[in-house]
Amino acid sequence: MASHIVGYPRMGPKRELKFALESFWDGKSSAEELQKVATDLRSSIWKQMADAGIKFIPSNTFSYYDQVLDTTAMLGAVPPRYGWNGGEIGFDIYFSMARGNASVPAMEMTKWFDTNYHYIVPELGPDVKFSYASYNAVDEYKDAKALGIETVPVIVGPVSYLLLSKPAKGVEISFSLLSLIDKILPVYKEVVAELKEAGAGWIQFDEPKLVMDLDAHELQAFTHAYSELEATLSGVNVLIETYFADVPVEAYKTLTALKGVSGFGFDLIRGTKTLDLIKGGFPSGKFLFAGVVDGRNIWANDLAASLDTLHALKAMVGKGIDSLVQHFIIVMKLNNDRRYVVLQTRLWSLLPVLFYTLQLT
């Protein structure tokens, strides 16, 4: 078994990013100073995970605002009112989309599934011209590699991105957002090609919409998208990650049949029924990323139950198939508290593969 987490809080142990953003927005600091804070936070996070022995360390999970807005920037899907004329998207356009400016309002913000987090809703239509306009996924991978840390770049998957979007103003409400799938895939191919060239061994696509009740047309979009990406993905391991709930039966069948995919991630804390689907059949030769620690719960994890689940899963997936442990991380900081050391030591002794850092803010 090996350890993996889907992401890591980006605000900093002393809320460094929050204060740096507010300073920049108030005009009290420069873009370079904000970027320096971000760079230091990312480096610290990667080093902390590497020191803890995490094998599959995520990159491109940092964001100045939210990961869906970052994907909008990556795709160059900027609404016309922000006056973007092409090229790499900088802070002016990025934060105008997030917060608005003196001339135009921000894009809509809505709830991220059943969490207290929110995301900026993409505004799409038939006339959107997609282009590769933000290089964070590749840049972060290279930055981590320069520190001697191998990471797994994380990207919001193409189908979930479209299903999380809405028709732009003036576009018929009945417009099929999934009709844009073949227009955004070329950008995804560019990103994948650059990550492969940089040396990435794994790429993670987050497709959380797979936990929702999707119709046949929506499920077919996943099959189509990853079939179209298959040739580009050749030579790199691909993880499709889900979270927040059970994966319905038909979605599980669609997911585990996707072409060019090496591993599948499931939330087995909130998705307890998914465990039965895995017991009923898991594809031969594929990797299982099993989410067994609840990062949304501040209370102590039941380590014995996690171990029992992992041992059962290892037996299910068969000989020669690695069972990879996905950890949803709880992040708090116990300032000047000796209990932090004691608790961390006890956790390491009970579950060596588990990175479970309590850092209370």
Side-chain angles (χ1 to χ4, degrees):
M1 294 187 186
S3 54
H4 167 256
I5 58 176
V6 294
Y8 195 99
R10 54 197 176 237
M11 211 43 77
K14 297 180 180 178
R15 297 186 292 171
E16 291 91 337
L17 181 59
K18 174 182 184 294
F19 297 127
L21 283 168
E22 290 173 347
S23 176
F24 175 72
W25 292 336
D26 290 342
K28 297 177 181 178
S29 60
S30 66
E32 290 74 21
E33 289 172 306
L34 174 57
Q35 290 167 336
K36 176 66 165 56
V37 171
T39 298
D40 290 347
L41 282 173
R42 289 194 296 265
S43 299
S44 174
I45 289 167
W46 292 327
K47 288 176 181 177
Q48 186 178 7
M49 287 190 277
D51 291 344
I54 299 296
K55 181 175 181 180
F56 294 91
I57 296 171
S59 60
N60 198 40
T61 54
F62 179 89
S63 178
Y64 291 102
Y65 215 86
D66 86 76
Q67 72 273 28
V68 179
L69 179 61
D70 292 350
T71 310
T72 294
M74 181 187 82
L75 295 169
V78 180
R81 65 181 178 273
Y82 297 107
W84 179 61
N85 296 314
E88 184 175 4
I89 291 174
F91 282 155
D92 53 346
I93 297 296
Y94 180 86
F95 287 127
S96 289
M97 290 192 289
R99 308 176 70 240
N101 58 43
S103 304
V104 293
M107 295 168 69
E108 178 188 350
M109 178 182 286
T110 196
K111 200 171 177 67
W112 179 247
F113 292 83
D114 64 345
T115 72
N116 290 325
Y117 185 72
H118 292 75
Y119 74 95
I120 301 295
V121 182
E123 302 173 10
L124 305 178
D127 298 327
V128 176
K129 306 297 182 185
F130 297 99
S131 63
Y132 187 18
S134 178
Y135 318 124
N136 290 347
V138 178
D139 290 344
E140 284 197 25
Y141 175 79
K142 290 180 177 178
D143 288 347
K145 194 170 185 177
L147 297 172
I149 300 172
E150 182 62 27
T151 61
V152 179
V154 179
I155 304 170
V156 175
V159 183
S160 287
Y161 176 78
L162 292 178
L163 292 176
L164 290 165
S165 304
K166 70 174 186 178
K169 185 177 181 180
V171 175
E172 291 290 335
I173 194 67
S174 60
F175 174 71
S176 172
L177 294 163
L178 289 176
S179 67
L180 299 173
I181 191 69
D182 288 325
K183 293 185 177 181
I184 68 171
L185 289 180
V187 178
Y188 277 86
K189 290 178 181 179
E190 286 188 71
V191 178
V192 170
E194 288 194 5
L195 286 170
K196 287 171 62 177
E197 184 178 358
W202 280 85
I203 298 175
Q204 176 178 319
F205 291 101
D206 283 0
E207 294 283 10
K209 272 291 187 174
L210 279 164
V211 304
M212 309 298 285
D213 291 324
L214 304 177
D215 61 31
H217 172 67
E218 291 167 326
L219 290 175
Q220 175 57 32
F222 287 95
T223 301
H224 172 73
Y226 287 94
S227 177
E228 289 295 311
L229 289 172
E230 183 180 10
T232 306
L233 293 171
S234 177
V236 65
N237 289 300
V238 175
L239 164 63
I240 305 295
E241 187 65 66
T242 68
Y243 34 75
F244 296 142
D246 279 304
V247 175
V249 175
E250 291 305 313
Y252 179 83
K253 292 177 181 177
T254 298
L255 172 60
T256 54
L258 292 179
K259 295 181 178 180
V261 177
S262 310
F264 310 98
F266 302 103
D267 182 345
L268 301 182
I269 299 297
R270 290 174 174 259
T272 54
K273 294 179 182 178
T274 303
L275 189 58
D276 293 330
L277 295 178
I278 296 170
K279 291 178 181 178
F282 187 79
S284 175
K286 302 295 184 179
F287 293 88
L288 172 62
F289 286 69
V292 295
V293 175
D294 187 358
R296 299 170 64 183
N297 188 341
I298 64 169
W299 305 112
N301 182 64
D302 187 340
L303 299 176
S306 294
L307 282 170
D308 288 343
T309 300
L310 294 176
H311 289 313
L313 287 170
K314 189 173 183 180
M316 287 176 211
V317 297
K319 292 182 179 180
I321 308 300
D322 289 329
S323 182
L324 304 176
V325 188
Q326 167 196 354
H327 302 308
F328 293 176
I329 199 163
I330 299 175
V331 179
M332 300 181 286
K333 181 165 178 122
L334 300 169
N335 288 318
N336 303 317
D337 193 334
R338 293 181 181 178
R339 289 175 296 169
Y340 169 71
V341 178
V342 174
L343 180 57
Q344 187 180 48
T345 303
R346 290 184 59 204
L347 285 166
W348 273 108
S349 65
L350 288 169
L351 189 56
V353 299
L354 173 61
F355 179 45
Y356 189 87
T357 306
L358 294 177
Q359 298 185 316
L360 192 82
T361 15

